Amino acid sequence: VGGVGRGVGGRGGLNVGDLDDLSDDEEDQDDGDEEMDHANSLERAAYTTLYLIQELQSSSAEVSAITMMGGAVASDNTNAIDASNNVNTLPSLNDDASGGGLNGVIMEKSRFLMKLAPRIRRLESDTAKCLVGRLESLLAKVRYLMEEEEDASKEETNETTLSGVAGSHKKKEHERQNLLLTIASCLRGLALLSKGSDAESAFARVAIMPILRSKLSMGKLDEGGSRGECAGLFFLLDDVANTVKKMYGPILRVSEGMFANNYNQETNKKNGMEVDLVTCGVWVPVATALMADPGIKMAIFSPGIANVLQANYSALDTFLSELAGNLLTPPPENDKSATNSVEEEKTNHELGDFSHLYYQPNLDATSIERAQSRLYAHSTTVDYYKRWNLPIYYQLRFAEFCKRLDKALNLVRKDGWQANVYTGDKTDEKKIRETLGFELPLFLELYDSLLSMWKSNVFLRPLTHRFLRGAVQLVGRVLAFVKDGLDGQVEFGGNTNASSGGKIEDLDEGEASIETIVGIPAYRWNERVEDIAVVTWELTILDTCMSHDYLDVIATTLCPPDEESRQSTHNSTSELEEMKQLASEVLMESSRGIPPLVSHSWNALIVDNLTSQCCTPLAAVKGVAATYRMTNRPPPTQASPFVATILRPLKEFDTTYASRTPPQIGDEWKHRVISEVSSKYSLAVEELIATVKRTEEALKSRKTRRMMVGGMSDGEKVKLQLYLDHREFKSNAEELGVDANGIGGLVKLGELTEEAESLYQRTQQNK
């Protein structure tokens, strides 16, 4: 009572009704100071214990060294000094007369410490137990205060109690600061005794596991979706991280600031990292909870559905990659003016509150990165990644891509290259057409499948090498199909069963290659120059895309352009550049077979096909002689009608596909076509001229030769016609951009018909 009276007298302005509140505040402050003093005492006890343990270890080491030195001297019989007189010789522990000198002092100290060794070990054990017990009680109190504060914040307050609420918040903040200091003392004490694992276990058991037990369940895992889809996993993990940060974020930051300075990032080992609450206190219990429960483990790691597994992996990978940053980044502070800060600091000094002077950890981006590195280097993380059956996931995804491509190839066999086989998004189709220039639906389907591999809802970073291999395999599959077609091994269309209904899904793979839709005649597409040109143009675009556009897609996925996303890849800049280079080499290797196919298609198949078409009208060359033999027709004034049709297929083809001729092909293929056609043309003209000469010789020997209309013989009219035909053919060839002087067949035609040039000049003069 006297104490209370003195307290009231010291605060003359207090009412009697305020005594209870005042006494409660003082009791709470006394309790906080008592807890802090207790924790500080335990920390000092830990220092004392550490010193005694070090002395005991040092003494034992010195005794061992003296023993080794003494034994070595005693065993040396050639030494002139007697072993018994050697000052380094270890005397017997029972020989009281042998003590003396420095070694004697060491031995005496050793005997004393050896007697105290059991007590020192007992002191170490008891101190550690007290520190762990105190830490657990403090963590429980932190949780209680946070829950109490949350409950209080939900209650409605009116204006008359606003000042009281503000005072309560300040009181709670002061209490939290004292708790933080007390917990830091306990952590330092356990670290001194090399009992950091005990602190981590206590934090995981008292702080984290109650949160996990309250939030982790199958119901919350499937919240927002059907059972087994784990639709709520991402939000569940986010809720766990936010709750841990809100309740224990200051403790985690203080611990990181105190113990992370000696961590060796290069070796990823704990060199002086005595207490790692982020890794062992938070991540390990979370990972253990996910992997220990059979139901949750099966739902997350082995769902059996590719989309679910990918979503689960992405959610957990995001949670893990951002865990250190989420927990160690301090919450944003409310903006306060300098005047308010000075006034608040002055008020705190007057009230005896110096919490603003307490140690505040300064954790920068490098500190958070080191913490994240420890997370990835921990054995629990390694075991966690082994739980994912990622090869099975890739097989499921690759089977989807193969099935999609197989359906497209089968429909192309049925309907030809223009078959509508694209099954992707229409927006993506439009973008691919406009930006890249693909036209055939099969190549649109192929490229969309290649892009799908690197979409965020499909791609998983550990499977990068497998997805690269899958892209190479899909491209190789289409190239093999094209090559077989160019070799004449693939037949499009053909006789069909009307009952098939045209649905490829209803046919087996063997049937799909034989039965086709009604109404499409069978043909081999390598016999159609239009198909060959279109397909080779698509291959040229694909070749360019694989080394440029598609490589950029992969590089953007592996090496995100923004710094924040790049940090989540956990690779250095040099590693990312190396990955990009490897991807480039793989893609270039996959498209290496395209240029030979394109070259063979244009320089062999298209040339042969167009040559065959252009040579068909040459059969009319023989009819030139029959036109003038014994018909009394006037001399010709223009080329034969068939000459204009000789190069017509080539002209039409060049006009249609000039813009889709691969750059590496150039105009060489046209030279080859014209050269082949002109050679055959010259051969036909040569044979005809020889026939005409033989006929003229026969008529001359029989003296029956007659001069016909225009003063020309039949033979001369034929030669004049061949001359006019040659001029027309040469003009048509030059219209195609070919140098006539460089074509051997055209040069030979000129030589064969130059005799008729005088006849042509005569006809021009007679006009």
Side-chain angles (χ1 to χ4, degrees), residues 306-312 314 393 397 400-401 451-460 467 557:
N307 290 333
V308 175
L309 190 144
Q310 197 275 342
N312 293 348
S314 299
Y393 169 76
R397 287 299 191 189
E400 294 176 359
F401 298 135
L451 292 178
S452 298
M453 290 183 170
W454 308 96
K455 290 183 177 179
S456 59
N457 60 344
V458 174
F459 173 71
L460 292 179
F467 278 109
T557 304

Side-chain angles (χ1 to χ4, degrees), residues 2-44:
V4 173
R6 287 191 300 272
V8 174
R11 297 176 176 85
L14 289 178
N15 298 321
V16 178
D18 295 331
L19 292 178
D20 294 336
D21 294 337
L22 176 62
S23 60
D24 291 340
D25 292 342
E26 291 179 345
E27 289 177 2
D28 292 341
Q29 185 172 357
D30 292 341
D31 292 341
D33 294 341
E34 184 179 351
E35 287 182 349
M36 188 178 299
D37 292 341
H38 190 189
N40 292 334
S41 299
L42 290 175
E43 185 179 359
R44 288 191 294 273

Side-chain angles (χ1 to χ4, degrees), residues 554-605:
I554 297 176
T556 302
T557 304
L558 298 179
C559 317
D562 57 298
E563 190 65 27
E564 182 178 355
S565 300
R566 178 170 292 197
Q567 289 178 356
S568 65
T569 62
H570 325 304
N571 294 109
S572 63
T573 303
S574 60
E575 290 173 341
L576 294 175
E577 291 300 324
E578 183 179 359
M579 291 168 61
K580 184 177 180 180
Q581 181 63 29
L582 290 174
S584 175
E585 294 175 359
V586 170
L587 294 180
M588 291 182 64
E589 181 70 24
S590 68
S591 59
R592 184 170 294 178
I594 294 180
L597 281 179
V598 174
S599 178
H600 171 71
S601 300
W602 280 84
N603 296 325
L605 298 179

Side-chain angles (χ1 to χ4, degrees), residues 73 78 123 196 268 295 348 446 466 490 561 658 689 710 751:
V73 173
T78 62
L123 176 62
N268 285 333
N348 291 335
L446 170 64
R466 294 181 182 267
V490 177
I689 292 175
E751 295 173 352

Side-chain angles (χ1 to χ4, degrees), residues 27 80-82 95 189 205 246 259 328 335 393 419 488 493 627 629 638 654 751:
E27 289 177 2
I81 302 175
D82 187 76
D95 188 2
R205 183 173 58 256
K246 183 177 180 180
F259 302 114
L328 299 179
D335 295 334
Y393 169 76
T627 303
R629 187 180 298 128
Q638 60 184 10
D654 184 51
E751 295 173 352

Side-chain angles (χ1 to χ4, degrees), residues 283 287 291 301 313 316-321 372 375-391 461-462 568-570:
W283 165 240
M291 295 185 292
F301 296 97
Y313 184 92
L316 276 164
D317 190 60
T318 302
F319 170 78
L320 178 58
S321 65
Q372 192 65 46
L375 284 171
Y376 284 112
H378 197 269
S379 59
T380 300
T381 308
V382 177
D383 182 49
Y384 153 79
Y385 277 115
K386 290 180 180 179
R387 300 299 178 98
W388 296 100
N389 202 344
L390 297 185
R461 194 171 187 82
S568 65
T569 62
H570 325 304

